[in-house]
PDB file of all heavy atoms in Angstrom:
ATOM      1  N   ALA E   1      94.762 147.588 251.423  1.00 87.00           N
ATOM      2  CA  ALA E   1      94.357 148.599 250.447  1.00 87.00           C
ATOM      3  C   ALA E   1      95.596 149.290 249.886  1.00 87.00           C
ATOM      4  O   ALA E   1      96.631 149.368 250.537  1.00 87.00           O
ATOM      5  CB  ALA E   1      93.449 149.624 251.107  1.00 87.00           C
ATOM      6  N   PHE E   2      95.463 149.791 248.683  1.00 97.00           N
ATOM      7  CA  PHE E   2      96.548 150.510 248.031  1.00 97.00           C
ATOM      8  C   PHE E   2      96.089 151.927 247.712  1.00 97.00           C
ATOM      9  O   PHE E   2      94.906 152.155 247.433  1.00 97.00           O
ATOM     10  CB  PHE E   2      96.971 149.789 246.747  1.00 97.00           C
ATOM     11  CG  PHE E   2      97.534 148.424 247.011  1.00 97.00           C
ATOM     12  CD1 PHE E   2      96.719 147.316 246.995  1.00 97.00           C
ATOM     13  CD2 PHE E   2      98.871 148.260 247.316  1.00 97.00           C
ATOM     14  CE1 PHE E   2      97.221 146.056 247.263  1.00 97.00           C
ATOM     15  CE2 PHE E   2      99.390 147.002 247.585  1.00 97.00           C
ATOM     16  CZ  PHE E   2      98.561 145.899 247.555  1.00 97.00           C
ATOM     17  N   VAL E   3      97.017 152.874 247.767  1.00 97.00           N
ATOM     18  CA  VAL E   3      96.733 154.272 247.432  1.00 97.00           C
ATOM     19  C   VAL E   3      97.879 154.813 246.595  1.00 97.00           C
ATOM     20  O   VAL E   3      99.017 154.345 246.703  1.00 97.00           O
ATOM     21  CB  VAL E   3      96.547 155.156 248.690  1.00 97.00           C
ATOM     22  CG1 VAL E   3      95.343 154.722 249.499  1.00 97.00           C
ATOM     23  CG2 VAL E   3      97.793 155.157 249.543  1.00 97.00           C
ATOM     24  N   LEU E   4      97.550 155.819 245.769  1.00 98.00           N
ATOM     25  CA  LEU E   4      98.600 156.544 245.066  1.00 98.00           C
ATOM     26  C   LEU E   4      99.369 157.370 246.083  1.00 98.00           C
ATOM     27  O   LEU E   4      98.768 157.909 247.021  1.00 98.00           O
ATOM     28  CB  LEU E   4      98.007 157.471 244.008  1.00 98.00           C
ATOM     29  CG  LEU E   4      97.346 156.832 242.790  1.00 98.00           C
ATOM     30  CD1 LEU E   4      96.731 157.898 241.903  1.00 98.00           C
ATOM     31  CD2 LEU E   4      98.332 155.988 241.999  1.00 98.00           C
ATOM     32  N   LEU E   5     100.659 157.485 245.908  1.00 97.00           N
ATOM     33  CA  LEU E   5     101.442 158.352 246.784  1.00 97.00           C
ATOM     34  C   LEU E   5     101.038 159.802 246.542  1.00 97.00           C
ATOM     35  O   LEU E   5     100.545 160.159 245.454  1.00 97.00           O
ATOM     36  CB  LEU E   5     102.933 158.133 246.540  1.00 97.00           C
ATOM     37  CG  LEU E   5     103.453 156.801 247.075  1.00 97.00           C
ATOM     38  CD1 LEU E   5     104.896 156.574 246.664  1.00 97.00           C
ATOM     39  CD2 LEU E   5     103.341 156.743 248.580  1.00 97.00           C
ATOM     40  N   PRO E   6     101.230 160.674 247.519  1.00 96.00           N
ATOM     41  CA  PRO E   6     100.760 162.058 247.407  1.00 96.00           C
ATOM     42  C   PRO E   6     101.304 162.827 246.206  1.00 96.00           C
ATOM     43  O   PRO E   6     100.622 163.710 245.684  1.00 96.00           O
ATOM     44  CB  PRO E   6     101.217 162.706 248.716  1.00 96.00           C
ATOM     45  CG  PRO E   6     101.398 161.590 249.665  1.00 96.00           C
ATOM     46  CD  PRO E   6     101.803 160.399 248.844  1.00 96.00           C
ATOM     47  N   ASP E   7     102.500 162.502 245.745  1.00 97.00           N
ATOM     48  CA  ASP E   7     103.098 163.226 244.616  1.00 97.00           C
ATOM     49  C   ASP E   7     102.780 162.604 243.269  1.00 97.00           C
ATOM     50  O   ASP E   7     103.378 162.964 242.259  1.00 97.00           O
ATOM     51  CB  ASP E   7     104.618 163.303 244.796  1.00 97.00           C
ATOM     52  CG  ASP E   7     105.007 164.179 245.972  1.00 97.00           C
ATOM     53  OD1 ASP E   7     104.283 165.146 246.257  1.00 97.00           O
ATOM     54  OD2 ASP E   7     106.034 163.889 246.609  1.00 97.00           O
ATOM     55  N   VAL E   8     101.827 161.685 243.245  1.00 98.00           N
ATOM     56  CA  VAL E   8     101.450 161.007 242.005  1.00 98.00           C
ATOM     57  C   VAL E   8     100.029 161.420 241.645  1.00 98.00           C
ATOM     58  O   VAL E   8      99.125 161.345 242.472  1.00 98.00           O
ATOM     59  CB  VAL E   8     101.550 159.473 242.147  1.00 98.00           C
ATOM     60  CG1 VAL E   8     101.072 158.782 240.881  1.00 98.00           C
ATOM     61  CG2 VAL E   8     102.971 159.069 242.488  1.00 98.00           C
ATOM     62  N   THR E   9      99.861 161.877 240.415  1.00 97.00           N
ATOM     63  CA  THR E   9      98.531 162.235 239.939  1.00 97.00           C
ATOM     64  C   THR E   9      98.141 161.300 238.796  1.00 97.00           C
ATOM     65  O   THR E   9      98.996 160.806 238.069  1.00 97.00           O
ATOM     66  CB  THR E   9      98.460 163.700 239.449  1.00 97.00           C
ATOM     67  OG1 THR E   9      99.438 163.897 238.426  1.00 97.00           O
ATOM     68  CG2 THR E   9      98.726 164.662 240.584  1.00 97.00           C
ATOM     69  N   ALA E  10      96.846 161.098 238.664  1.00 97.00           N
ATOM     70  CA  ALA E  10      96.316 160.231 237.615  1.00 97.00           C
ATOM     71  C   ALA E  10      95.390 161.043 236.735  1.00 97.00           C
ATOM     72  O   ALA E  10      94.622 161.880 237.216  1.00 97.00           O
ATOM     73  CB  ALA E  10      95.557 159.060 238.231  1.00 97.00           C
ATOM     74  N   ALA E  11      95.472 160.809 235.442  1.00 97.00           N
ATOM     75  CA  ALA E  11      94.597 161.480 234.483  1.00 97.00           C
ATOM     76  C   ALA E  11      94.064 160.442 233.502  1.00 97.00           C
ATOM     77  O   ALA E  11      94.811 159.573 233.039  1.00 97.00           O
ATOM     78  CB  ALA E  11      95.358 162.570 233.735  1.00 97.00           C
ATOM     79  N   GLU E  12      92.784 160.550 233.222  1.00 95.00           N
ATOM     80  CA  GLU E  12      92.164 159.650 232.247  1.00 95.00           C
ATOM     81  C   GLU E  12      92.746 159.938 230.869  1.00 95.00           C
ATOM     82  O   GLU E  12      92.997 161.089 230.507  1.00 95.00           O
ATOM     83  CB  GLU E  12      90.653 159.868 232.207  1.00 95.00           C
ATOM     84  CG  GLU E  12      89.941 159.506 233.491  1.00 95.00           C
ATOM     85  CD  GLU E  12      89.939 158.022 233.777  1.00 95.00           C
ATOM     86  OE1 GLU E  12      89.931 157.211 232.831  1.00 95.00           O
ATOM     87  OE2 GLU E  12      89.945 157.666 234.963  1.00 95.00           O
ATOM     88  N   ALA E  13      92.950 158.896 230.105  1.00 94.00           N
ATOM     89  CA  ALA E  13      93.398 159.002 228.718  1.00 94.00           C
ATOM     90  C   ALA E  13      92.401 158.240 227.857  1.00 94.00           C
ATOM     91  O   ALA E  13      91.594 157.463 228.372  1.00 94.00           O
ATOM     92  CB  ALA E  13      94.795 158.414 228.570  1.00 94.00           C
ATOM     93  N   ASP E  14      92.460 158.467 226.562  1.00 91.00           N
ATOM     94  CA  ASP E  14      91.511 157.805 225.663  1.00 91.00           C
ATOM     95  C   ASP E  14      91.553 156.290 225.797  1.00 91.00           C
ATOM     96  O   ASP E  14      90.527 155.631 225.713  1.00 91.00           O
ATOM     97  CB  ASP E  14      91.806 158.185 224.210  1.00 91.00           C
ATOM     98  CG  ASP E  14      91.436 159.621 223.911  1.00 91.00           C
ATOM     99  OD1 ASP E  14      90.599 160.200 224.638  1.00 91.00           O
ATOM    100  OD2 ASP E  14      91.990 160.176 222.940  1.00 91.00           O
ATOM    101  N   ASP E  15      92.728 155.751 226.016  1.00 92.00           N
ATOM    102  CA  ASP E  15      92.858 154.299 226.046  1.00 92.00           C
ATOM    103  C   ASP E  15      93.355 153.773 227.389  1.00 92.00           C
ATOM    104  O   ASP E  15      93.910 152.696 227.472  1.00 92.00           O
ATOM    105  CB  ASP E  15      93.798 153.851 224.935  1.00 92.00           C
ATOM    106  CG  ASP E  15      95.172 154.512 225.047  1.00 92.00           C
ATOM    107  OD1 ASP E  15      95.325 155.462 225.819  1.00 92.00           O
ATOM    108  OD2 ASP E  15      96.094 154.058 224.343  1.00 92.00           O
ATOM    109  N   GLY E  16      93.168 154.530 228.457  1.00 96.00           N
ATOM    110  CA  GLY E  16      93.601 154.052 229.765  1.00 96.00           C
ATOM    111  C   GLY E  16      93.788 155.170 230.768  1.00 96.00           C
ATOM    112  O   GLY E  16      92.912 155.998 230.958  1.00 96.00           O
ATOM    113  N   LEU E  17      94.965 155.201 231.368  1.00 97.00           N
ATOM    114  CA  LEU E  17      95.244 156.119 232.457  1.00 97.00           C
ATOM    115  C   LEU E  17      96.710 156.527 232.373  1.00 97.00           C
ATOM    116  O   LEU E  17      97.562 155.714 232.028  1.00 97.00           O
ATOM    117  CB  LEU E  17      94.985 155.385 233.776  1.00 97.00           C
ATOM    118  CG  LEU E  17      94.834 156.148 235.065  1.00 97.00           C
ATOM    119  CD1 LEU E  17      93.621 157.066 235.024  1.00 97.00           C
ATOM    120  CD2 LEU E  17      94.684 155.171 236.220  1.00 97.00           C
ATOM    121  N   VAL E  18      96.986 157.791 232.683  1.00 98.00           N
ATOM    122  CA  VAL E  18      98.365 158.277 232.734  1.00 98.00           C
ATOM    123  C   VAL E  18      98.656 158.698 234.162  1.00 98.00           C
ATOM    124  O   VAL E  18      97.878 159.414 234.784  1.00 98.00           O
ATOM    125  CB  VAL E  18      98.578 159.474 231.778  1.00 98.00           C
ATOM    126  CG1 VAL E  18      99.975 160.042 231.918  1.00 98.00           C
ATOM    127  CG2 VAL E  18      98.306 159.064 230.336  1.00 98.00           C
ATOM    128  N   LEU E  19      99.777 158.210 234.688  1.00 98.00           N
ATOM    129  CA  LEU E  19     100.226 158.581 236.020  1.00 98.00           C
ATOM    130  C   LEU E  19     101.431 159.496 235.876  1.00 98.00           C
ATOM    131  O   LEU E  19     102.323 159.228 235.070  1.00 98.00           O
ATOM    132  CB  LEU E  19     100.621 157.341 236.824  1.00 98.00           C
ATOM    133  CG  LEU E  19      99.565 156.265 236.985  1.00 98.00           C
ATOM    134  CD1 LEU E  19     100.147 155.070 237.730  1.00 98.00           C
ATOM    135  CD2 LEU E  19      98.354 156.797 237.710  1.00 98.00           C
ATOM    136  N   LEU E  20     101.461 160.561 236.653  1.00 97.00           N
ATOM    137  CA  LEU E  20     102.592 161.484 236.657  1.00 97.00           C
ATOM    138  C   LEU E  20     103.213 161.472 238.039  1.00 97.00           C
ATOM    139  O   LEU E  20     102.544 161.752 239.031  1.00 97.00           O
ATOM    140  CB  LEU E  20     102.144 162.904 236.305  1.00 97.00           C
ATOM    141  CG  LEU E  20     103.193 164.004 236.527  1.00 97.00           C
ATOM    142  CD1 LEU E  20     104.422 163.795 235.644  1.00 97.00           C
ATOM    143  CD2 LEU E  20     102.590 165.381 236.288  1.00 97.00           C
ATOM    144  N   ASP E  21     104.485 161.138 238.079  1.00 97.00           N
ATOM    145  CA  ASP E  21     105.253 161.212 239.318  1.00 97.00           C
ATOM    146  C   ASP E  21     105.850 162.613 239.369  1.00 97.00           C
ATOM    147  O   ASP E  21     106.809 162.917 238.666  1.00 97.00           O
ATOM    148  CB  ASP E  21     106.349 160.148 239.331  1.00 97.00           C
ATOM    149  CG  ASP E  21     107.105 160.105 240.631  1.00 97.00           C
ATOM    150  OD1 ASP E  21     107.022 161.076 241.415  1.00 97.00           O
ATOM    151  OD2 ASP E  21     107.796 159.097 240.863  1.00 97.00           O
ATOM    152  N   GLN E  22     105.268 163.487 240.181  1.00 97.00           N
ATOM    153  CA  GLN E  22     105.678 164.886 240.229  1.00 97.00           C
ATOM    154  C   GLN E  22     107.051 165.076 240.867  1.00 97.00           C
ATOM    155  O   GLN E  22     107.648 166.133 240.730  1.00 97.00           O
ATOM    156  CB  GLN E  22     104.627 165.706 240.967  1.00 97.00           C
ATOM    157  CG  GLN E  22     103.291 165.714 240.245  1.00 97.00           C
ATOM    158  CD  GLN E  22     102.237 166.445 241.011  1.00 97.00           C
ATOM    159  OE1 GLN E  22     102.500 167.442 241.669  1.00 97.00           O
ATOM    160  NE2 GLN E  22     101.006 165.959 240.942  1.00 97.00           N
ATOM    161  N   ARG E  23     107.572 164.050 241.536  1.00 96.00           N
ATOM    162  CA  ARG E  23     108.897 164.158 242.146  1.00 96.00           C
ATOM    163  C   ARG E  23     109.992 164.166 241.096  1.00 96.00           C
ATOM    164  O   ARG E  23     111.016 164.810 241.270  1.00 96.00           O
ATOM    165  CB  ARG E  23     109.140 162.996 243.120  1.00 96.00           C
ATOM    166  CG  ARG E  23     108.195 163.013 244.319  1.00 96.00           C
ATOM    167  CD  ARG E  23     108.219 161.697 245.023  1.00 96.00           C
ATOM    168  NE  ARG E  23     107.677 160.693 244.088  1.00 96.00           N
ATOM    169  CZ  ARG E  23     107.359 159.473 244.418  1.00 96.00           C
ATOM    170  NH1 ARG E  23     107.553 159.046 245.645  1.00 96.00           N
ATOM    171  NH2 ARG E  23     106.858 158.632 243.544  1.00 96.00           N
ATOM    172  N   ASN E  24     109.778 163.434 239.993  1.00 96.00           N
ATOM    173  CA  ASN E  24     110.823 163.345 238.973  1.00 96.00           C
ATOM    174  C   ASN E  24     110.332 163.632 237.561  1.00 96.00           C
ATOM    175  O   ASN E  24     111.109 163.565 236.615  1.00 96.00           O
ATOM    176  CB  ASN E  24     111.504 161.967 239.026  1.00 96.00           C
ATOM    177  CG  ASN E  24     110.527 160.833 238.818  1.00 96.00           C
ATOM    178  OD1 ASN E  24     109.476 160.999 238.218  1.00 96.00           O
ATOM    179  ND2 ASN E  24     110.874 159.659 239.316  1.00 96.00           N
ATOM    180  N   GLY E  25     109.048 163.943 237.401  1.00 95.00           N
ATOM    181  CA  GLY E  25     108.495 164.281 236.097  1.00 95.00           C
ATOM    182  C   GLY E  25     108.251 163.098 235.177  1.00 95.00           C
ATOM    183  O   GLY E  25     107.930 163.293 234.007  1.00 95.00           O
ATOM    184  N   ARG E  26     108.372 161.886 235.685  1.00 96.00           N
ATOM    185  CA  ARG E  26     108.161 160.704 234.846  1.00 96.00           C
ATOM    186  C   ARG E  26     106.671 160.406 234.699  1.00 96.00           C
ATOM    187  O   ARG E  26     105.903 160.529 235.644  1.00 96.00           O
ATOM    188  CB  ARG E  26     108.855 159.490 235.449  1.00 96.00           C
ATOM    189  CG  ARG E  26     110.369 159.607 235.354  1.00 96.00           C
ATOM    190  CD  ARG E  26     111.050 158.350 235.756  1.00 96.00           C
ATOM    191  NE  ARG E  26     110.712 157.288 234.809  1.00 96.00           N
ATOM    192  CZ  ARG E  26     110.976 156.011 235.027  1.00 96.00           C
ATOM    193  NH1 ARG E  26     111.560 155.641 236.134  1.00 96.00           N
ATOM    194  NH2 ARG E  26     110.645 155.104 234.130  1.00 96.00           N
ATOM    195  N   TYR E  27     106.310 160.002 233.487  1.00 95.00           N
ATOM    196  CA  TYR E  27     104.941 159.589 233.170  1.00 95.00           C
ATOM    197  C   TYR E  27     104.896 158.081 233.034  1.00 95.00           C
ATOM    198  O   TYR E  27     105.829 157.464 232.534  1.00 95.00           O
ATOM    199  CB  TYR E  27     104.492 160.189 231.832  1.00 95.00           C
ATOM    200  CG  TYR E  27     104.176 161.650 231.880  1.00 95.00           C
ATOM    201  CD1 TYR E  27     105.160 162.598 231.620  1.00 95.00           C
ATOM    202  CD2 TYR E  27     102.899 162.092 232.165  1.00 95.00           C
ATOM    203  CE1 TYR E  27     104.872 163.949 231.650  1.00 95.00           C
ATOM    204  CE2 TYR E  27     102.592 163.447 232.200  1.00 95.00           C
ATOM    205  CZ  TYR E  27     103.588 164.356 231.939  1.00 95.00           C
ATOM    206  OH  TYR E  27     103.301 165.688 231.972  1.00 95.00           O
ATOM    207  N   TRP E  28     103.780 157.523 233.458  1.00 96.00           N
ATOM    208  CA  TRP E  28     103.505 156.104 233.264  1.00 96.00           C
ATOM    209  C   TRP E  28     102.161 156.017 232.570  1.00 96.00           C
ATOM    210  O   TRP E  28     101.187 156.604 233.040  1.00 96.00           O
ATOM    211  CB  TRP E  28     103.429 155.389 234.606  1.00 96.00           C
ATOM    212  CG  TRP E  28     104.749 155.299 235.304  1.00 96.00           C
ATOM    213  CD1 TRP E  28     105.453 156.312 235.858  1.00 96.00           C
ATOM    214  CD2 TRP E  28     105.519 154.135 235.495  1.00 96.00           C
ATOM    215  NE1 TRP E  28     106.609 155.848 236.398  1.00 96.00           N
ATOM    216  CE2 TRP E  28     106.677 154.505 236.190  1.00 96.00           C
ATOM    217  CE3 TRP E  28     105.336 152.798 235.152  1.00 96.00           C
ATOM    218  CZ2 TRP E  28     107.653 153.590 236.539  1.00 96.00           C
ATOM    219  CZ3 TRP E  28     106.309 151.890 235.519  1.00 96.00           C
ATOM    220  CH2 TRP E  28     107.453 152.290 236.192  1.00 96.00           C
ATOM    221  N   GLN E  29     102.098 155.303 231.459  1.00 97.00           N
ATOM    222  CA  GLN E  29     100.842 155.152 230.742  1.00 97.00           C
ATOM    223  C   GLN E  29     100.345 153.725 230.898  1.00 97.00           C
ATOM    224  O   GLN E  29     101.075 152.771 230.600  1.00 97.00           O
ATOM    225  CB  GLN E  29     101.000 155.484 229.265  1.00 97.00           C
ATOM    226  CG  GLN E  29      99.675 155.466 228.536  1.00 97.00           C
ATOM    227  CD  GLN E  29      99.750 156.128 227.188  1.00 97.00           C
ATOM    228  OE1 GLN E  29     100.758 156.695 226.817  1.00 97.00           O
ATOM    229  NE2 GLN E  29      98.668 156.044 226.453  1.00 97.00           N
ATOM    230  N   LEU E  30      99.124 153.589 231.370  1.00 97.00           N
ATOM    231  CA  LEU E  30      98.498 152.280 231.532  1.00 97.00           C
ATOM    232  C   LEU E  30      97.437 152.107 230.455  1.00 97.00           C
ATOM    233  O   LEU E  30      96.639 153.019 230.217  1.00 97.00           O
ATOM    234  CB  LEU E  30      97.843 152.169 232.911  1.00 97.00           C
ATOM    235  CG  LEU E  30      98.751 152.381 234.122  1.00 97.00           C
ATOM    236  CD1 LEU E  30      97.937 152.259 235.406  1.00 97.00           C
ATOM    237  CD2 LEU E  30      99.895 151.393 234.118  1.00 97.00           C
ATOM    238  N   ASN E  31      97.421 150.940 229.840  1.00 96.00           N
ATOM    239  CA  ASN E  31      96.364 150.657 228.870  1.00 96.00           C
ATOM    240  C   ASN E  31      95.051 150.430 229.613  1.00 96.00           C
ATOM    241  O   ASN E  31      94.998 150.524 230.846  1.00 96.00           O
ATOM    242  CB  ASN E  31      96.755 149.477 227.971  1.00 96.00           C
ATOM    243  CG  ASN E  31      96.882 148.172 228.720  1.00 96.00           C
ATOM    244  OD1 ASN E  31      96.405 148.020 229.848  1.00 96.00           O
ATOM    245  ND2 ASN E  31      97.535 147.195 228.098  1.00 96.00           N
ATOM    246  N   GLY E  32      94.015 150.114 228.890  1.00 94.00           N
ATOM    247  CA  GLY E  32      92.702 149.956 229.506  1.00 94.00           C
ATOM    248  C   GLY E  32      92.660 148.898 230.590  1.00 94.00           C
ATOM    249  O   GLY E  32      92.067 149.101 231.652  1.00 94.00           O
ATOM    250  N   THR E  33      93.304 147.761 230.355  1.00 93.00           N
ATOM    251  CA  THR E  33      93.313 146.698 231.348  1.00 93.00           C
ATOM    252  C   THR E  33      94.154 147.089 232.556  1.00 93.00           C
ATOM    253  O   THR E  33      93.776 146.825 233.702  1.00 93.00           O
ATOM    254  CB  THR E  33      93.835 145.386 230.730  1.00 93.00           C
ATOM    255  OG1 THR E  33      93.053 145.078 229.575  1.00 93.00           O
ATOM    256  CG2 THR E  33      93.745 144.247 231.718  1.00 93.00           C
ATOM    257  N   GLY E  34      95.291 147.722 232.316  1.00 96.00           N
ATOM    258  CA  GLY E  34      96.123 148.193 233.426  1.00 96.00           C
ATOM    259  C   GLY E  34      95.389 149.221 234.260  1.00 96.00           C
ATOM    260  O   GLY E  34      95.463 149.215 235.489  1.00 96.00           O
ATOM    261  N   ALA E  35      94.673 150.119 233.589  1.00 97.00           N
ATOM    262  CA  ALA E  35      93.897 151.143 234.299  1.00 97.00           C
ATOM    263  C   ALA E  35      92.793 150.490 235.130  1.00 97.00           C
ATOM    264  O   ALA E  35      92.568 150.862 236.290  1.00 97.00           O
ATOM    265  CB  ALA E  35      93.305 152.142 233.315  1.00 97.00           C
ATOM    266  N   ALA E  36      92.108 149.502 234.548  1.00 95.00           N
ATOM    267  CA  ALA E  36      91.052 148.799 235.289  1.00 95.00           C
ATOM    268  C   ALA E  36      91.636 148.092 236.505  1.00 95.00           C
ATOM    269  O   ALA E  36      91.046 148.114 237.595  1.00 95.00           O
ATOM    270  CB  ALA E  36      90.344 147.800 234.374  1.00 95.00           C
ATOM    271  N   THR E  37      92.805 147.496 236.346  1.00 97.00           N
ATOM    272  CA  THR E  37      93.470 146.817 237.451  1.00 97.00           C
ATOM    273  C   THR E  37      93.811 147.797 238.559  1.00 97.00           C
ATOM    274  O   THR E  37      93.525 147.548 239.740  1.00 97.00           O
ATOM    275  CB  THR E  37      94.743 146.114 236.954  1.00 97.00           C
ATOM    276  OG1 THR E  37      94.395 145.181 235.933  1.00 97.00           O
ATOM    277  CG2 THR E  37      95.460 145.404 238.087  1.00 97.00           C
ATOM    278  N   LEU E  38      94.415 148.921 238.201  1.00 98.00           N
ATOM    279  CA  LEU E  38      94.776 149.914 239.215  1.00 98.00           C
ATOM    280  C   LEU E  38      93.536 150.449 239.922  1.00 98.00           C
ATOM    281  O   LEU E  38      93.532 150.588 241.144  1.00 98.00           O
ATOM    282  CB  LEU E  38      95.571 151.064 238.594  1.00 98.00           C
ATOM    283  CG  LEU E  38      95.968 152.178 239.563  1.00 98.00           C
ATOM    284  CD1 LEU E  38      96.787 151.644 240.731  1.00 98.00           C
ATOM    285  CD2 LEU E  38      96.717 153.273 238.830  1.00 98.00           C
ATOM    286  N   ARG E  39      92.477 150.702 239.193  1.00 97.00           N
ATOM    287  CA  ARG E  39      91.247 151.198 239.829  1.00 97.00           C
ATOM    288  C   ARG E  39      90.716 150.193 240.858  1.00 97.00           C
ATOM    289  O   ARG E  39      90.273 150.582 241.938  1.00 97.00           O
ATOM    290  CB  ARG E  39      90.194 151.496 238.775  1.00 97.00           C
ATOM    291  CG  ARG E  39      90.480 152.751 237.987  1.00 97.00           C
ATOM    292  CD  ARG E  39      89.340 153.060 237.014  1.00 97.00           C
ATOM    293  NE  ARG E  39      89.743 154.064 236.068  1.00 97.00           N
ATOM    294  CZ  ARG E  39      90.065 153.834 234.792  1.00 97.00           C
ATOM    295  NH1 ARG E  39      90.001 152.605 234.308  1.00 97.00           N
ATOM    296  NH2 ARG E  39      90.438 154.813 233.995  1.00 97.00           N
ATOM    297  N   LEU E  40      90.741 148.914 240.499  1.00 97.00           N
ATOM    298  CA  LEU E  40      90.279 147.890 241.435  1.00 97.00           C
ATOM    299  C   LEU E  40      91.143 147.878 242.697  1.00 97.00           C
ATOM    300  O   LEU E  40      90.625 147.827 243.816  1.00 97.00           O
ATOM    301  CB  LEU E  40      90.300 146.506 240.780  1.00 97.00           C
ATOM    302  CG  LEU E  40      89.254 146.257 239.692  1.00 97.00           C
ATOM    303  CD1 LEU E  40      89.536 144.939 238.973  1.00 97.00           C
ATOM    304  CD2 LEU E  40      87.854 146.276 240.276  1.00 97.00           C
ATOM    305  N   LEU E  41      92.451 147.947 242.523  1.00 98.00           N
ATOM    306  CA  LEU E  41      93.351 147.956 243.678  1.00 98.00           C
ATOM    307  C   LEU E  41      93.132 149.193 244.541  1.00 98.00           C
ATOM    308  O   LEU E  41      93.132 149.114 245.773  1.00 98.00           O
ATOM    309  CB  LEU E  41      94.803 147.867 243.210  1.00 98.00           C
ATOM    310  CG  LEU E  41      95.193 146.562 242.519  1.00 98.00           C
ATOM    311  CD1 LEU E  41      96.566 146.695 241.868  1.00 98.00           C
ATOM    312  CD2 LEU E  41      95.141 145.401 243.482  1.00 98.00           C
ATOM    313  N   LEU E  42      92.925 150.343 243.910  1.00 97.00           N
ATOM    314  CA  LEU E  42      92.674 151.575 244.657  1.00 97.00           C
ATOM    315  C   LEU E  42      91.309 151.566 245.334  1.00 97.00           C
ATOM    316  O   LEU E  42      91.111 152.259 246.333  1.00 97.00           O
ATOM    317  CB  LEU E  42      92.802 152.803 243.741  1.00 97.00           C
ATOM    318  CG  LEU E  42      94.189 153.062 243.157  1.00 97.00           C
ATOM    319  CD1 LEU E  42      94.140 154.257 242.199  1.00 97.00           C
ATOM    320  CD2 LEU E  42      95.238 153.282 244.242  1.00 97.00           C
ATOM    321  N   ASP E  43      90.383 150.760 244.785  1.00 96.00           N
ATOM    322  CA  ASP E  43      89.050 150.633 245.386  1.00 96.00           C
ATOM    323  C   ASP E  43      89.018 149.622 246.525  1.00 96.00           C
ATOM    324  O   ASP E  43      87.949 149.340 247.074  1.00 96.00           O
ATOM    325  CB  ASP E  43      88.020 150.239 244.325  1.00 96.00           C
ATOM    326  CG  ASP E  43      87.632 151.400 243.421  1.00 96.00           C
ATOM    327  OD1 ASP E  43      87.930 152.557 243.762  1.00 96.00           O
ATOM    328  OD2 ASP E  43      87.028 151.133 242.362  1.00 96.00           O
ATOM    329  N   GLY E  44      90.168 149.054 246.868  1.00 96.00           N
ATOM    330  CA  GLY E  44      90.231 148.159 248.008  1.00 96.00           C
ATOM    331  C   GLY E  44      90.272 146.678 247.691  1.00 96.00           C
ATOM    332  O   GLY E  44      90.290 145.853 248.600  1.00 96.00           O
ATOM    333  N   TYR E  45      90.257 146.316 246.423  1.00 97.00           N
ATOM    334  CA  TYR E  45      90.368 144.906 246.061  1.00 97.00           C
ATOM    335  C   TYR E  45      91.776 144.417 246.368  1.00 97.00           C
ATOM    336  O   TYR E  45      92.756 145.124 246.127  1.00 97.00           O
ATOM    337  CB  TYR E  45      90.120 144.703 244.565  1.00 97.00           C
ATOM    338  CG  TYR E  45      88.670 144.746 244.154  1.00 97.00           C
ATOM    339  CD1 TYR E  45      87.959 145.935 244.146  1.00 97.00           C
ATOM    340  CD2 TYR E  45      88.015 143.598 243.747  1.00 97.00           C
ATOM    341  CE1 TYR E  45      86.630 145.985 243.764  1.00 97.00           C
ATOM    342  CE2 TYR E  45      86.683 143.632 243.349  1.00 97.00           C
ATOM    343  CZ  TYR E  45      85.997 144.832 243.362  1.00 97.00           C
ATOM    344  OH  TYR E  45      84.694 144.858 242.979  1.00 97.00           O
TER     345      TYR E  45
END
């Protein structure tokens, strides 16, 4: 199983998902397919 690290937050976006690494302030934007992939991995796939 995979999990987000404790300092990483996820927020829904219109076209996917945005991840914020609070340790360094960097944002990662995932498109719809990337967001779906991450959700599956976080759900235990």
Side-chain angles (χ1 to χ4, degrees):
F2 296 92
V3 296
L4 291 176
L5 288 174
D7 293 328
V8 176
T9 57
E12 295 291 329
D14 289 338
D15 57 348
L17 196 63
V18 175
L19 303 176
L20 169 62
D21 185 343
Q22 296 176 36
R23 295 165 295 191
N24 59 24
R26 290 188 65 192
Y27 286 91
W28 291 69
Q29 186 165 355
L30 302 179
N31 65 17
T33 305
T37 302
L38 178 57
R39 286 184 193 104
L40 290 171
L41 295 169
L42 296 176
D43 284 345
Y45 282 72

